[in-house]
Structure formats: structure tokens, C-alpha cells
Amino acid sequence: MKKWVKQIGAASLVAMLSACGTSPTGRNQLLLFPEDQMSAMGQQAFTSMKEELKISNKRVANSYVECVARSITANVPQEVFAGQWEVVVFDDEQVNAFALPGGKIGVYTGLLKVAENQHQLAAVIGHEVGHVIANHGNERMSIGTASQLTTQVVGQVLAANEVPYSGPIMAAMGLGAQVGVQLPYSRSHESEADLIGLTLMAQSGFNPQESVSLWHNMDAASEGNRPPELLSTHPAPSSRIQNLQANMSEANALYQQAPRRPDCK
């Protein structure tokens, strides 16, 4: 093996080991990007979305979403984001929402047809903010960067040693990285965000039991159009419900201790 290939591999390993972190649930993470860079990217992406997507002009819907979001973000640790979160409702039939580093939250009007009350909407917003709290965006980018770098190094090793059939091997590695690393990480991110969101909504005075009802609604809205869980970035609704119910006792205790009960109309 050529000396420079070894050096690249060693340098890559040192860089990745020095960028380890721990998620709120105690899971080890690879975080290669600084927080200020992630915030800048989140803010830039949000600005672009506001320019490209139609923003809802329905005052009632906007006030409702704003009320739920403000209640949730009041319980986000200051080290995650210390400023005032920007909340925008996009006039789009997508059943979706998102949160970005840098204090940005977007909710699509289509979600308001599936999240039937303030508690269910809080479950979604809590989940999305949970991704930000757990640095999932940073971790996904880091995993992608590390996987690409590893593939490049292995490709150089194969070429340097004139390994037969290196093309098919590299192609198989690409698929293996997706199914074996990136998809499971995405599913673990979703499950982790579910639990962080469950805690957030309960602390904020929203009924955590409604998170289970939400996923029953989501399952019905999907009409079975979902890939097998093994090849999906998201766990199946049944898996999410089981995960939420397993942690419901603690969430209910937090809900009973919450200092206020939001009334978002």
C-alpha cells in the first residue's frame, strides 16, 4: 500500500475521533462542523425557502402555530439557541414541518389537517426542534462526509494494489454505506427526536398521549405508501408508537409538573 494512502487514512481517523460528541440520550455522535457554521447554513436555507415558497397569509393559522411553537421553544436549552425563534407557516399541502439550526421553524399548512389539535401539533414541532437539540443535521452531514472520505481512501487502496473487480466492490460499498450506516442513523435520529419531542411537549404543558394519536393519524394519511422500514429513513409508525408508549410514564409525570397549560386556538 502506498505511503500517502496510509497517511490519508490515518489523518482521516484522527480528525473523526477528535470530533466525537454525545447526544441528549447518551448516544455517541460524529460532529465535524462547528455550531456557528450550522447556524449560518440553517439561516441561509430558511431565507431561500421564504423566497421560493408561498407563505400563508391566514392570520388565525399563523397565530395558532406561533402559539404552539413559542410554548415549545421556551423550554429549549439556551445553549442550543438563545435568541427568538422565527416561525413561518408555508401555504403548501405537504404534511410536514421542520426546524433548522439558528432558530428557524417551518410548518406546512397540510400538517394542520392531520395534527388535529394543539397537542398533536406540539408533538410535531417538538420532534423537529429535537433534531436541532440533538445536532442531527451536523451528524448527518458528518456521516456523509466521513463515508465519502472512507470510500475514496478504499478506492485508492484498491487501485494501488490493482485489486480485480474494484468497480463492483466500490459500488457495493456505496450501497452498503447507505443501507448499513446512513439509513440506520437516520432512523435512530427520528426515534431520538421523537423522545426529545415527547419530553419537550410534556414540559411545555401539552398532553404527551396525543403524540400516539398523531402517529395513528399520520399512518392513516400515508395510505400505506411507505417503503419497508429497512430501506426507509423513518421508522414505521407502529415502531414510533411503541417507542413513545415505552417512555410515556416519564412524559406524563413531566406533563403533570408543567407550570402552565397553553391554550392555542
Side-chain angles (χ1 to χ4, degrees):
M1 187 185 300
K2 290 184 177 181
K3 182 179 179 181
W4 67 270
V5 175
K6 292 182 180 179
Q7 290 174 337
I8 292 176
S12 303
L13 180 61
V14 170
M16 286 186 282
L17 288 176
S18 65
C20 289
T22 305
S23 77
T25 63
R27 184 177 53 79
N28 291 332
Q29 295 178 292
L30 176 65
L31 304 173
L32 297 176
F33 301 92
E35 291 184 11
D36 57 348
Q37 183 179 356
M38 294 301 301
S39 293
M41 287 191 291
Q43 292 166 0
Q44 183 177 7
F46 201 65
T47 297
S48 296
M49 294 186 72
K50 289 191 295 183
E51 293 172 351
E52 296 171 6
L53 299 178
K54 182 180 179 182
I55 296 176
S56 173
N57 59 6
K58 296 180 180 178
R59 186 173 61 182
V60 173
N62 290 342
S63 297
Y64 169 59
V65 172
E66 181 91 11
C67 175
V68 174
R70 294 280 173 238
S71 299
I72 291 290
T73 56
N75 288 289
V76 174
Q78 289 290 294
E79 59 267 25
V80 174
F81 183 72
Q84 181 168 311
W85 291 68
E86 182 180 3
V87 183
V88 173
V89 180
F90 294 100
D91 191 358
D92 192 291
E93 288 303 305
Q94 286 189 60
V95 181
N96 210 349
F98 63 88
L100 297 172
K104 308 298 180 183
I105 294 174
V107 173
Y108 297 99
T109 52
L111 175 65
L112 303 181
K113 299 177 182 178
V114 177
E116 296 177 341
N117 54 49
Q118 64 172 4
H119 308 283
Q120 293 182 20
L121 180 59
V124 178
I125 293 177
H127 168 95
E128 298 302 333
V129 171
H131 282 305
V132 177
I133 293 173
N135 289 309
H136 288 162
N138 192 335
E139 189 176 7
R140 287 171 184 168
M141 288 177 56
S142 299
I143 292 168
T145 299
S147 296
Q148 184 178 25
L149 182 58
T150 300
T151 301
Q152 290 173 347
V153 171
V154 172
Q156 294 293 345
V157 172
L158 293 174
N161 288 276
E162 298 181 349
V163 176
Y165 309 110
S166 60
I169 291 172
M170 294 302 294
M173 276 194 61
L175 180 61
Q178 182 184 25
V179 177
V181 178
Q182 293 175 355
L183 290 181
Y185 260 105
S186 294
R187 290 194 293 272
S188 71
H189 290 170
E190 291 300 315
S191 297
E192 192 168 57
D194 280 346
L195 296 185
I196 296 171
L198 186 69
T199 297
L200 266 180
M201 69 180 296
Q203 290 175 329
S204 304
F206 296 103
N207 186 354
Q209 285 289 158
E210 288 288 341
S211 63
V212 173
S213 300
L214 168 76
W215 282 107
H216 282 301
N217 293 350
M218 287 286 198
D219 194 24
S222 71
E223 299 179 344
N225 296 322
R226 183 179 295 105
E229 186 166 0
L230 176 64
L231 297 176
S232 172
T233 59
H234 289 59
S238 58
S239 297
R240 306 184 89 141
I241 289 170
Q242 184 177 8
N243 188 35
L244 290 166
Q245 289 176 328
N247 292 273
M248 194 59 68
S249 178
E250 293 179 9
N252 280 328
L254 290 173
Y255 176 53
Q256 295 303 321
Q257 297 166 10
R260 59 184 295 267
R261 294 281 191 271
D263 185 19
C264 303
K265 300 296 186 182

